[in-house]
Amino acid sequence: MNLSPPRGTRDFFPEDMRLRTWLFGHFREVARLFGFEEYDAPVVESAELYVRKAGEEIVDQLYTFQDKSNRDLALRPEMTPSLARMVLQKGGALGLPIKWFSLPQCWRYERMTRGRRREHFQWNLDVFGVDDVTAEAELLAALVTLFQRLGLGAEDIAIRLSNRRLLQAVLADAGVADALFAPVCVLIDKLEKIPRETVEAELQSLGVDPGVINRVLQVASCTSLHEARGLIGSGDNGLDEIQRLMDLGAAYGFADWLRFDPSLVRGLAYYTGTVFEAFSTQGELRAICGGGRYDRLLSTFGGKDVAACGFGFGDAVIVELLKDKGLLPDLPAAVDDVVFAFSEELRGPAIQVTRSLRAAGRSVDLILEEGKRMKWAFRHADGAGAARLVLLAPEEWARGVVKVRDLVSGEEHEVTPEELVS
Ligand code: HAM
């Protein structure tokens, strides 16, 4: 039998789990600092939740199956549809706005590259009910706070920023119908990954003039808001919103992390306004996180739309980046005390000592093996990362004391069980 986990998935041995817990601790703490509440949903959802017809990669990558009642189900590839479903389910009973976060494991049958696998955990932060870039600004502030806590600065990370209304304005000028907006966005996003002729052919099959790409590329190559304004003029094209978000970024102190990048579209169909992705400035890795505004997702599920925006931040690329930069913490195993009884007659007292230490809140590893020697106990305590080794020996116990060895300083003392706890 092959003992590896399925390709693209991971086992989490205790040392891996320590790293995951450390990273999730930062995710949770930043969410708390920004007043987001945690939610969760099932990892298995109805497949129809993800059936979107815009040609997105994420839909092709679905893990789908039928259960024993022939229900069509899927492993969630992302959290946003589940969140939208939950918001719709509560309807008017939900006091808006809401700021919610989650840490779901997501599944995509993905082509594997560094930092991309078939399952990942994704920190999601979303705001529902705020129709203003103040929400995006707060999301980006949380994102930057997270990076800073991990030891990364504006010299390490660039947040590419655009607004889909810019592309919408270009497409409207070219006579592209509103109904085609989402599939055309998904195609334009593919320009970086597949040959231009393929994108052109697919545009044509949607009934869109392939020449539209020229105009899109012209706008996408703008390097400043000023230049983009010069090219497409004023109107409802998202440029003012980007400017406002940048101004808010200055108030929060993260303006220097932002890069206006009109070539950014994102590959998910549902975005309607701001879109952003964070990258390493060294450029070798794929996006660290991505998100944006999706004000019209609820109506695609038959509900009434509510303004919404958010982002997803995976646990894979960030770890690669921290590894490259030497910023991964050293996280050894750690317990407070190891308790060792020299002889089996002292197991009862050793259990008593262990119980009182645990009742006082200390983490204790009681040696369970019989007949082990002192040297073995020391090695074991070292491997467990213990701060102290507590020894119960017949002669000392007869005097009502135990031996405590401080494993950092090497000092040894005799103390009563009461003193041990205090
Ligand atoms: P996404 O861009 O598909 O957006 O994924 C967001 C992030 O999840 C990526 O930037 C990356 O960190 C991580 N990620 C995605 N796929 C993989 C993979 N195969 N392996 C490792 N990491 C991966 C969404 O999922 C949107 N639902 C985000 C969102 C939330 N938008 C609004 N709210």
Side-chain angles (χ1 to χ4, degrees), residues 58 77-81 108 110 115-122 124-126 266 268 270-271 277 287-292 294 309-317:
I58 198 169
E78 55 161 342
M79 196 60 164
T80 313
R108 301 181 189 185
E110 177 112 32
R116 281 289 181 277
R117 37 181 92 254
R118 295 194 174 151
E119 55 71 27
H120 69 282
F121 287 89
Q122 199 189 83
N124 276 250
L125 237 60
D126 288 86
R266 298 210 10 94
L268 295 168
Y270 48 66
Y271 293 114
E277 284 184 352
I288 302 169
C289 72
Y294 51 103
C309 58
F311 68 79
F313 186 122
D315 66 338
V317 178

Side-chain angles (χ1 to χ4, degrees), residues 308-328:
C309 58
F311 68 79
F313 186 122
D315 66 338
V317 178
I318 188 67
V319 167
E320 294 299 324
L321 180 63
L322 294 175
K323 215 183 279 171
D324 286 354
K325 296 204 175 271
L327 288 172
L328 278 184

Side-chain angles (χ1 to χ4, degrees), residues 216-394:
V216 169
L217 289 180
Q218 193 186 14
V219 174
S221 64
C222 289
T223 52
S224 69
L225 282 172
H226 179 72
E227 191 186 344
R229 271 205 188 92
L231 209 58
I232 74 161
S234 54
D236 182 24
N237 54 30
L239 291 174
D240 292 345
E241 221 167 89
I242 297 173
Q243 182 62 60
R244 186 130 179 279
L245 185 47
M246 288 186 155
D247 293 344
L248 289 165
Y252 277 101
F254 63 75
D256 53 338
W257 296 62
L258 304 179
R259 306 260 191 291
F260 168 57
D261 182 349
S263 72
L264 181 76
V265 181
R266 298 210 10 94
L268 295 168
Y270 48 66
Y271 293 114
T272 53
T274 304
V275 278
F276 57 90
E277 284 184 352
F279 285 88
S280 156
T281 48
Q282 280 164 1
E284 290 134 16
L285 296 164
R286 289 184 57 175
I288 302 169
C289 72
R293 178 164 285 278
Y294 51 103
D295 288 345
R296 292 194 291 276
L297 180 57
L298 298 194
S299 58
T300 65
F301 295 150
K304 189 170 163 293
D305 278 325
V306 175
C309 58
F311 68 79
F313 186 122
D315 66 338
V317 178
I318 188 67
V319 167
E320 294 299 324
L321 180 63
L322 294 175
K323 215 183 279 171
D324 286 354
K325 296 204 175 271
L327 288 172
L328 278 184
D330 186 23
L331 298 167
V335 293
D336 293 325
D337 301 318
V338 165
V339 174
F340 175 55
F342 264 102
S343 64
E344 272 317 292
E345 294 76 66
L346 290 174
R347 181 158 300 276
I351 290 172
Q352 287 311 317
V353 166
T354 298
R355 286 179 65 192
S356 54
L357 284 168
R358 286 177 180 157
R362 295 183 68 83
S363 63
V364 185
D365 182 17
L366 170 66
I367 290 186
L368 304 173
E369 291 86 343
E370 289 181 25
K372 291 295 180 192
R373 291 176 183 281
M374 195 53 206
K375 229 166 128 187
W376 186 92
F378 270 116
R379 265 209 319 273
H380 179 88
D382 212 38
R388 306 190 303 181
L389 177 61
V390 178
L391 302 162
L392 284 86

Side-chain angles (χ1 to χ4, degrees), residues 85-222:
R85 181 179 63 66
M86 289 166 72
V87 169
L88 272 178
Q89 190 194 108
K90 286 274 181 194
L94 206 59
L96 294 174
I98 53 164
K99 289 159 62 186
W100 287 2
F101 86 96
S102 58
L103 276 166
Q105 190 177 28
C106 300
W107 295 79
R108 301 181 189 185
Y109 193 79
E110 177 112 32
R111 202 172 53 80
M112 307 254 297
T113 54
R114 190 167 176 225
R116 281 289 181 277
R117 37 181 92 254
R118 295 194 174 151
E119 55 71 27
H120 69 282
F121 287 89
Q122 199 189 83
W123 181 44
N124 276 250
L125 237 60
D126 288 86
V127 180
F128 269 76
V130 179
D131 184 17
D132 194 324
V133 282
T134 49
E136 281 96 321
E138 183 81 348
L139 288 168
L140 291 174
L143 181 59
V144 167
T145 303
L146 189 275
F147 283 132
Q148 287 169 329
R149 285 177 69 100
L150 299 181
L152 297 163
E155 65 286 3
D156 304 304
I157 306 287
I159 302 174
R160 296 167 61 197
L161 177 71
S162 189
N163 191 305
R164 280 221 178 151
R165 294 220 309 281
L166 184 56
L167 187 57
Q168 196 168 20
V170 174
L171 296 176
D173 268 359
V176 175
D178 262 0
L180 292 178
F181 178 60
V184 171
C185 282
V186 169
L187 271 178
I188 301 284
D189 176 70
K190 289 181 182 161
L191 273 173
E192 278 181 10
K193 296 167 216 153
I194 59 176
R196 178 175 171 155
E197 302 76 60
T198 314
V199 174
E200 285 182 338
E202 290 192 30
L203 278 175
Q204 202 143 25
S205 69
L206 284 176
V208 176
D209 179 358
V212 161
I213 289 187
N214 282 336
R215 179 69 176 158
V216 169
L217 289 180
Q218 193 186 14
V219 174
S221 64
C222 289

Side-chain angles (χ1 to χ4, degrees), residues 66-78:
Q66 282 197 332
D67 70 5
K68 290 185 167 53
S69 309
N70 297 327
R71 288 186 191 90
D72 290 317
L73 301 174
L75 293 181
R76 67 173 162 227
E78 55 161 342

